[in-house]
């Protein structure tokens, strides 16, 4: 049986914390897409850790963590992260497994990411510059190198061939950067990677399923950054939605049970692209300050705005969300009044649907106002004691989406999670 935890907005919904919390009820946690563009924050023994490549179940004892074939892997980031995790006394030899079909991010992929962004000028995506786009391009273009290739004696020859192709592209961009130091680090990290557990991911996970083990699939980014259904071209390059679990791990759809969607009680986005409910004003600044909304991977300030139910409804539809977790409710504690986007207006016409090209059609959000609870909720341990104004907010969202908020997260700490429904 497989449950999924994924982001319903533009990423950074708090997936890391939620996966870490729920991981204790599972046997395996598996990442199915994305790469080191992800930054998943958790608190272990009150220490903050940001994971980019390793699944967020890694700090729970006795749980297997799998990096699935749908992920793109930067060996340098992985090595660094393994060192951090090992410093907590975690034995990665026992609990980290990597699918051999996982594609490798090369130093030239990172250079190409930079070159492509630079060439876009004002139209740039705001990529994390981790080499994600170029690596997935080499995957679908049938050129990429995979983790399993490392064990082939011809790996270096294949690497040189691909680097040459990248060099030609970089020359076309007229992009010059000395990657010697990156390459040195890369090859050192490859030696480290070879010593980890490299497995056939699809057999590995299906054997676990057959043995009756519980699997938690961990998404990265968010549904609105999905390559197909996100705000294209301002998206990432992978399938961030529940369908990505099947191709990103080799799991058949009938094994998927719950799809747990994570949303903030408001909304953020980092990087370029449309964001209808964005608050480009003092209110947005306040959300950023109180919510500490700065990218976990790049440190960039996140754009902040009100919750967008049109986008959330769309995300629930394409993912088949069965349960919602609402995070960062405590960030709204400070506000006297809250707004919820219930519809868009495009060319004077109201719609409840996400348009084809959000960046060009520029939807105007239609808001419904709610009284804020304006009281500290971060210490609450049960739903009953939460303010009625918060319950009204939650119930409205539940009814609009037709999917219930099962948990409310009221702080970054591991145990700051209030159950609403089982
Ligand atoms: P992810 O990419 O979805 O895992 O989310 P990030 O880790 O990038 O960003 C979420 C941020 O919010 C992190 O700094 C978390 O520690 C923090 N966080 C998560 N849940 C809560 C919450 O309920 N309240 C507050 N105040 N912070 C939270
Ligand atoms: P987590 O898993 C928020 C954004 C980037 C950029 C666009 C494309 O922490 O939620 P890419 O590097 O993939 O080429 O960038 O997607 N982006 C994220 N935004 N959270 C993430 O991951 C993101 N990963 C990528 O800012 O706009
Ligand atoms: Mg993040």
């Amino acid at each position: 049986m497989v449950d999924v935890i994924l982001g319903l907005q533009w990423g950074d919904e708090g997936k890391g914390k939620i996966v870490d919390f729920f991981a204790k009820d599972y046997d395996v946690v598996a990442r199915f897409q994305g790469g080191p563009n992800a930054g998943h924050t958790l608190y272990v023994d009150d220490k903050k850790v940001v994971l980019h490549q390793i699944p967020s179940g890694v700090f729970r004892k006795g749980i297997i963590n799998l990096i699935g074939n749908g992920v793109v892997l930067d060996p340098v980031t992985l090595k660094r992260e393994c060192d951090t995790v090992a410093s907590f006394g975690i034995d990665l030899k026992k609990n980290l497994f990597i699918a051999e079909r996982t594609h490798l991010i090369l130093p030239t992929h990172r250079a190409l990411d930079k070159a492509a962004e630079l060439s876009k000028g004002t139209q740039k995506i705001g990529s994390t510059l981790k080499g994600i786009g170029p690596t997935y391009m080499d995957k679908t273009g049938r050129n990429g190198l995979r983790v399993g290739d490392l064990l082939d004696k011809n790996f270096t020859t294949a690497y040189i061939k691909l680097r040459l192709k990248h060099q030609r592209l970089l020359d076309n961009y007229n992009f010059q950067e000395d990657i010697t130091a990156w390459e040195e680090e890369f090859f050192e990290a490859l030696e480290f990677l070879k010593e980890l557990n490299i497995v056939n991911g699809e057999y590995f996970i299906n054997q676990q399923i057959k043995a009756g083990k519980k699997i938690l699939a961990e998404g990265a980014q968010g549904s609105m950054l999905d390559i197909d259904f996100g705000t294209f071209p301002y998206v990432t390059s992978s399938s961030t939605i529940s369908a990505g679990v099947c191709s990103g791990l080799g799991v058949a759809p009938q094994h998927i049970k719950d799809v747990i969607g994570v949303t903030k009680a408001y909304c953020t986005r980092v990087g370029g692209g449309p964001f209808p409910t964005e608050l480009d004003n003092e209110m947005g600044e306040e959300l950023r300050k109180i919510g500490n909304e700065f990218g976990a991977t790049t440190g960039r300030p996140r754009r902040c705005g009100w919750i967008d139910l049109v986008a959330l409804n769309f995300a629930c539809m394409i993912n088949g969300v069965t349960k919602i977790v609402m995070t960062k409710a405590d960030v709204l504690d400070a506000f006297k009044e809250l707004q919820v986007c219930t519809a868009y207006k495009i060319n004077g016409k109201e719609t409840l649907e996400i348009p084809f090209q959000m960046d060009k059609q520029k939807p105007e959000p239609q808001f419904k106002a709610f009284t804020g609870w304006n009281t500290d909720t971060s210490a609450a341990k049960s739903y009953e004691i939460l303010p009625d104004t918060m319950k009204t907010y939650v119930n409205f969202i539940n009814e609009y989406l037709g999917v219930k908020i099962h948990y409310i997260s009221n702080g970054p700490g591991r145990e700051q999670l209030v159950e609403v429904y089982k």
Side-chain angles (χ1 to χ4, degrees):
M1 186 273 289
V2 182
D3 288 339
V4 187
I5 290 185
L6 45 72
L8 297 179
Q9 298 171 308
W10 280 279
D12 301 329
E13 297 89 349
K15 301 174 291 295
K17 171 194 154 152
I18 303 304
V19 170
D20 169 59
F21 180 87
F22 284 110
K24 59 181 172 15
D25 303 328
Y26 292 85
D27 302 294
V28 180
V29 178
R31 271 277 303 269
F32 59 92
Q33 45 71 233
N37 47 350
H40 295 180
T41 314
L42 11 143
Y43 281 83
V44 193
D45 307 333
D46 291 330
K47 273 191 224 140
K48 179 175 164 175
V49 186
V50 181
L51 294 172
H52 304 284
Q53 295 268 198
I54 298 178
S56 302
V58 74
F59 291 105
R60 296 286 190 181
K61 285 218 164 52
I63 289 170
I64 288 173
N65 291 271
L66 174 70
I67 296 179
N69 58 277
V71 169
V72 288
L73 185 69
D74 183 336
V76 177
T77 309
L78 179 72
K79 181 172 181 292
R80 230 176 266 150
E81 212 162 287
C82 284
D83 291 344
T84 306
V85 171
S87 75
F88 283 82
I90 309 278
D91 183 0
L92 290 166
K93 269 283 180 202
K94 278 203 192 122
N95 72 356
L96 181 65
F97 294 79
I98 302 165
E100 59 194 356
R101 293 179 191 273
T102 306
H103 277 250
L104 289 168
I105 302 177
L106 273 44
T108 38
H109 282 133
R110 278 162 59 191
L112 279 167
D113 209 356
K114 261 189 174 176
E117 277 286 80
L118 271 175
S119 75
K120 288 194 166 124
T122 56
Q123 307 287 304
K124 72 174 183 180
I125 310 288
S127 161
T128 60
L129 305 179
K130 302 291 178 192
I132 307 297
T135 308
Y136 278 114
M137 278 165 72
D138 268 341
K139 174 178 177 171
T140 50
R142 298 161 295 180
N143 293 304
L145 292 171
R146 299 178 293 173
V147 169
D149 295 330
L150 281 176
L151 310 173
D152 190 312
K153 63 177 180 353
N154 294 322
F155 177 81
T156 311
T157 315
Y159 171 82
I160 292 169
K161 199 171 150 202
L162 189 53
R163 188 186 59 182
L164 188 68
K165 178 188 159 233
H166 291 166
Q167 198 51 60
R168 288 200 197 103
L169 291 168
L170 288 166
D171 291 346
N172 256 343
Y173 278 118
N174 215 356
F175 183 84
Q176 279 166 4
E177 182 147 353
D178 184 6
I179 61 157
T180 325
W182 291 4
E183 262 192 329
E184 248 170 55
E185 263 189 317
F186 176 75
F187 276 98
E188 225 181 275
L190 288 185
E191 290 309 308
F192 174 83
L193 174 53
K194 273 193 226 172
E195 297 303 314
L196 296 175
N197 300 303
I198 298 173
V199 295
N200 177 306
E202 56 277 23
Y203 281 110
F204 183 86
I205 204 144
N206 279 290
Q207 275 153 10
Q208 300 280 344
I209 293 172
K210 224 172 176 176
K213 305 283 186 196
K214 289 179 75 183
I215 321 282
L216 182 59
E218 175 181 7
Q221 289 79 55
S223 305
M224 298 308 285
L225 287 172
D226 180 77
I227 181 69
D228 283 280
F229 299 106
T231 45
F232 191 87
Y234 299 95
V235 293
T236 190
S237 302
S238 63
S239 286
T240 61
I241 61 169
S242 54
V245 174
C246 297
S247 57
L249 293 175
V251 159
Q254 64 265 36
H255 293 306
I256 298 178
K257 205 178 123 235
D258 272 323
V259 178
I260 302 160
V262 187
T263 173
K264 279 177 182 160
Y266 49 101
C267 192
T268 65
R269 170 164 208 170
V270 60
F275 179 6
T277 61
E278 180 169 17
L279 290 163
D280 196 8
N281 55 22
E282 262 174 36
M283 193 77 99
E285 192 58 53
E286 209 170 331
L287 274 172
R288 186 174 310 118
K289 215 170 71 201
I290 302 170
N292 192 21
E293 295 295 357
F294 295 89
T297 298
T298 58
R300 290 177 293 176
R302 294 176 184 146
R303 300 155 63 191
C304 296
W306 298 121
I307 198 164
D308 180 344
L309 295 186
V310 179
L312 275 181
N313 201 32
F314 176 74
C316 286
M317 175 180 81
I318 56 178
N319 285 300
V321 172
T322 58
K323 293 178 178 174
I324 294 175
V325 178
M326 187 171 85
T327 58
K328 304 195 91 158
D330 55 300
V331 174
L332 297 185
D333 286 357
F335 294 83
K336 287 204 167 66
E337 193 183 86
L338 310 171
Q339 304 283 344
V340 169
C341 168
T342 54
Y344 290 163
K345 208 177 237 179
I346 299 174
N347 295 330
K349 255 182 87 183
E350 213 165 272
T351 173
L352 300 178
E353 293 186 3
I354 293 288
F356 168 58
Q357 276 179 313
M358 224 195 233
D359 55 326
K360 303 226 164 68
Q361 283 149 303
K362 298 195 189 339
E364 294 164 44
Q366 306 301 298
F367 288 112
K368 179 175 163 58
F370 285 81
T371 310
W373 39 95
N374 211 219
T375 164
D376 185 352
T377 62
S378 63
K381 299 259 181 253
S382 76
Y383 186 62
E384 287 67 42
I385 67 160
L386 286 170
D388 283 344
T389 32
M390 189 194 272
K391 288 178 185 158
T392 307
Y393 189 76
V394 165
N395 286 334
F396 181 81
I397 296 172
N398 286 349
E399 267 178 38
Y400 187 105
L401 299 177
V403 189
K404 287 194 172 97
I405 294 170
H406 281 242
Y407 288 87
I408 297 173
S409 174
N410 56 341
R414 205 180 224 182
E415 304 303 328
Q416 283 175 297
L417 199 68
V418 173
E419 189 180 80
V420 184
Y421 296 100
K422 262 262 176 279

